[in-house]
Structures are given as structure tokens and as C-alpha cells.
Amino acid sequence: CSELFNAISEIRKANTGILLVEQNAKRSLEIADRCYLIETGRIATEDTVEGLWVTGLPKNSTIITVGQE
């Protein structure tokens, strides 16, 4: 898992956009710029990572993170 996130971080540093769907939400949010929360197949929330931390993470949501807006 660490190797994967290290590789994703390197790709992100190259200013390449990344769409990441990952079960490890905490780790994903550490490298993301934006995130989308999906509940019952629909986007429930979209925000910057900082904005999401302010509003809080709802339980039972799927998190999709995006690097390099």
C-alpha cells in the first residue's frame, strides 16, 4: 500500500490529474486536492479536502479523491 501511495504522490508532483477510488479514506485524503462523497450511487458532497474536514465525513460514504484540480 505504501508503494502505491508513493507512486501516486510522484505522479501528482508531475502535475498530472489522478482519479483515485480507495478504501483507505484517511490516506487518500492526505494526497488529494478535491474529493467527492458518493452515497447510494449519487454524489452527495464535493469539496476541497480542507473543506471536507471542516464539514466532516459522513459514515457509509464512498470517497473519490482527485489530485491536481
Side-chain angles (χ1 to χ4, degrees):
C1 189
S2 290
E3 289 179 31
L4 173 65
F5 279 97
N6 289 338
I8 291 169
S9 293
E10 290 301 313
I11 293 168
R12 184 176 176 271
K13 287 178 190 174
N15 207 25
T16 301
I18 301 167
L19 174 64
L20 176 65
V21 180
E22 171 60 48
Q23 291 184 7
N24 187 341
K26 183 178 178 184
R27 186 74 190 265
S28 298
L29 291 171
E30 290 173 359
I31 61 172
D33 296 306
R34 293 197 61 77
C35 52
Y36 298 82
L37 299 179
I38 298 176
E39 294 175 345
T40 61
R42 298 183 189 267
I43 296 175
T45 304
E46 68 176 282
D47 204 341
T48 62
V49 173
E50 294 82 14
L52 185 67
W53 285 125
V54 170
T55 59
L57 285 170
K59 289 189 174 189
N60 301 320
S61 294
T62 300
I63 298 173
I64 298 177
T65 60
V66 180
Q68 301 298 339
E69 296 185 69

